Amino acid sequence: MILTEIDHIAIAVRDLEAAVDYYQRAFGATVDHREVVERDGVEEVLLKVAESYIQLLTPTRPDSPVAKAIEKRGEGLHHVGYRVVDCKEALKAMVAAGATPIDHEPRMGSRGTTVAFIHPKGSFGALIELVQE
Ligand code: CO
């Protein structure tokens, strides 16, 4: 088994402040981390749930993949981040199992993680992110 934990559930939203406020009020969740990831054109807020996170994502520019996803499908579940020990090895194993990689090599994610995305096509419709802490 190459997965160690669910790292995060990512939810794409239009109004980050409103979403953070809602999750805080509804769940009593607390903000653990906040970051603008320029490369991906997103701002994210991580709310801690045990050892995992709810990741609220909003686009910072119109050409960001998250902006396009919201335009196409509206707000909602965007991807699942699975925590792995070794992102490169996990990516290799997934590709060998038939996954279609978006990132062919692991790259830098938010909060200093190493990540790689797997295309929903070939993964039963779910966008997958492998996350190595
Ligand atoms: Co993510």
Side-chain angles (χ1 to χ4, degrees):
M1 180 65 171
I2 61 171
L3 306 176
T4 60
E5 201 140 12
I6 306 288
D7 187 81
H8 61 275
I9 306 287
I11 300 164
V13 303
R14 287 197 176 91
D15 184 338
L16 189 58
E17 306 317 320
V20 170
D21 177 63
Y22 171 71
Y23 274 86
Q24 283 180 322
R25 283 186 297 108
F27 291 141
T30 53
V31 173
D32 193 78
H33 184 80
R34 186 172 188 128
E35 184 171 341
V36 173
V37 185
E38 273 310 332
R39 177 196 163 129
D40 296 331
V42 298
E43 181 167 6
E44 69 169 48
V45 167
L46 295 174
L47 302 154
K48 198 135 201 215
V49 182
E51 295 308 311
S52 304
Y53 301 98
I54 300 164
Q55 180 185 67
L56 300 172
L57 274 180
T58 202
T60 56
R61 49 174 200 262
D63 66 337
S64 100
V66 172
K68 287 176 187 158
I70 291 176
E71 209 177 286
K72 227 166 120 183
R73 297 186 298 274
E75 296 177 301
L77 278 182
H78 185 261
H79 65 271
V80 179
Y82 293 110
R83 202 171 295 155
V84 297
V85 173
D86 185 325
C87 192
K88 199 179 172 81
E89 284 305 310
L91 181 60
K92 227 198 278 178
M94 288 204 68
V95 170
T100 305
I102 293 173
D103 298 305
H104 292 270
E105 287 293 327
R107 61 182 178 87
M108 180 97 117
S110 65
R111 71 194 152 96
T113 57
T114 303
V115 304
F117 278 89
I118 305 285
H119 203 281
K121 213 182 284 174
S123 293
F124 301 87
L127 176 59
I128 292 173
E129 179 182 12
L130 301 170
V131 183
Q132 177 187 342
E133 287 192 306

